[in-house]
Amino acid sequence: MSLQIPSRSKGGASPSTKAVILVGGPARGTRFRPLSLDVPKPLFDVAGHPIIEHCLNAVAKVPDIKEVFIIGYYEESVFRDFIRDATRNFPAFSIKYLREYQALGTAGGLYHFRDAILKGRPDRFFVINADVCCSFPLTEMLKLFDEKDAEAVILGTRVSDDAATNFGCIVSDTHNKRVLHYVEKPESHISNLINCGVYLFSTECIFPAVKSAIKRRSERPRLVSYPSTDALDSSFIENDTDEGEKSEVIRLEQDILSDLADSRQFFVLETKDFWRQIKTAGSAVPANALYLQKAFQSGSEEIAKPSATILPPVFIHPTARVDPTAKLGPNVSIGPNVTIGPGVRVKESIVLEDAEIKHDACVMYSIVGWSSKIGAWARVEGTPTPVTSHNTTIIKNGVKVQSITILGKDTGVRDEIRVQNCVCLPNKELKRDVTNEVIM
């Protein structure tokens, strides 16, 4: 069956646009533990809202998008309640969850659901990785797309030369913004302009590109194991019976973008605004700070009014109970039904639903898990890292540890106990001081 691709609108009718949000699946959430043990990463609250909702907020600002797809391999039930609520909150477009039968990769998932995406003959569609925290300048991407008559636009940002090799690197023409070369996590420095994980593709460009990448993958020998030199020949499998399925496991970053740079009208929009990946559990804290600062600067009514005890920006859920003598902020999110006692100090932290922090306790650079209880005069703290750092680990006494302290669900910290730079799994009670440990 041939792939039917709509031809792009020229003049006449305005081009139509859709959006796809990639959420991955449970096997991909391991770096977000212990938080992902209880809530899938895309639904974890950052700055008072699930991570994926920040993506939908950005999509809602783009006129004429009528359809949004969420693609991943979580069970359908995981997103059912969220989609029901989001459909109410975002009436301008429909939201559908498309479940992959297995992990297909970022491009494989798009290709697998191409019929759903192409229905209605859209000219282009956004692809947004859900674990990205940024201002999502989608309208600017659309503008560049139209100006350049582009086939693809990628969002890029500048990072330090040292950090660049941890990301996909873009070499571009500074005058016309054309992408000349793309390498995913290069071994040596080629550019400090990196891939932000937000794309705008022409439908007539991306699906044939994925199809040809799948064809290349299926035609070459596949090394499935490294048993021994004697058995090396037999470890190559040429187009075995299930190769057709496996060939769809294909990723935008490793398999597609480099080819687009070589042969297509591929451009980069460089954002000067904030950007951060939410990969590890600890990275939720700096992402929380960035989203809160954006909300505060835009005058959002969700942000608590500054006062002697509120150092903005601070988000306090309407159902939370905060003693007037407690001091919160900056960059603090307080979840539903949280209780904050007298004299408590909370700074650069996320306190999740039903948690309780008793009088005179101190919480800094930390995530306090659901239904956790922190005793009086206890101290739960991480270590501040530079704002420009994209890393949430630090070296203490020659050992790499988390800079953010994370307490899993239903963790208890006794009175006057100090917890520093620790990750604590759910349902534990801490009765002694702990530093630089993973508490199993």
Side-chain angles (χ1 to χ4, degrees), residues 48-97:
H49 298 278
I51 290 170
I52 191 174
E53 191 172 316
H54 294 285
C55 303
L56 291 174
N57 276 323
V59 171
K61 293 173 184 170
V62 181
D64 304 326
I65 290 185
K66 302 298 181 194
E67 200 165 22
V68 176
F69 297 107
I70 299 170
I71 296 181
Y73 54 101
Y74 290 99
E75 297 280 345
E76 286 91 341
S77 58
V78 167
F79 288 98
R80 189 175 297 134
D81 291 346
F82 171 78
I83 289 176
R84 185 193 62 226
D85 296 341
T87 301
R88 237 183 354 253
N89 296 333
F90 300 99
F93 46 76
S94 67
I95 304 169
K96 296 187 182 74
Y97 178 62

Side-chain angles (χ1 to χ4, degrees), residues 124-177:
R124 62 230 179 154
F125 63 99
F126 286 100
V127 176
I128 301 169
N129 283 288
D131 60 356
V132 164
C133 159
C134 71
S135 57
F136 297 106
L138 304 185
T139 50
E140 288 92 330
M141 291 177 73
L142 267 176
K143 185 180 175 188
L144 179 65
F145 190 92
D146 290 336
E147 280 176 0
K148 301 290 187 181
D149 194 26
E151 294 183 325
V153 171
I154 184 172
L155 186 66
T157 191
R158 301 276 174 184
V159 298
S160 67
D161 289 351
D162 292 341
T165 53
N166 296 317
F167 303 98
C169 293
I170 304 163
V171 178
S172 66
D173 184 318
T174 52
H175 298 294
N176 65 14
K177 301 181 181 177

Side-chain angles (χ1 to χ4, degrees), residues 24 52 73 81 83 112 141 202 216 239 271 300 306 339 368 432:
I52 191 174
Y73 54 101
D81 291 346
I83 289 176
H112 183 70
M141 291 177 73
S202 143
R216 284 196 307 274
N239 296 332
T271 178
S300 169
T339 303
V368 179
R432 59 176 179 86

Side-chain angles (χ1 to χ4, degrees), residues 170-246:
I170 304 163
V171 178
S172 66
D173 184 318
T174 52
H175 298 294
N176 65 14
K177 301 181 181 177
R178 174 127 186 231
V179 176
L180 304 174
H181 190 45
Y182 180 88
V183 182
E184 182 68 16
K185 296 180 182 173
E187 292 182 6
S188 58
H189 174 74
I190 63 164
S191 169
N192 68 346
L193 180 61
I194 65 160
N195 176 4
C196 289
V198 181
Y199 315 97
L200 177 57
F201 293 121
S202 143
T203 48
E204 65 182 18
C205 154
I206 188 62
F207 291 117
V210 178
K211 186 177 183 180
S212 62
I214 291 171
K215 188 167 182 286
R216 284 196 307 274
R217 174 75 61 86
S218 63
E219 285 173 351
R220 69 172 181 251
R222 182 167 57 92
L223 183 61
V224 292
S225 62
Y226 301 85
S228 68
T229 50
D230 295 334
L232 195 59
D233 290 339
S234 62
S235 68
F236 283 96
I237 298 178
E238 295 272 6
N239 296 332
D240 61 354
T241 52
D242 66 344
E243 186 67 29
E245 285 185 19
K246 291 183 181 298

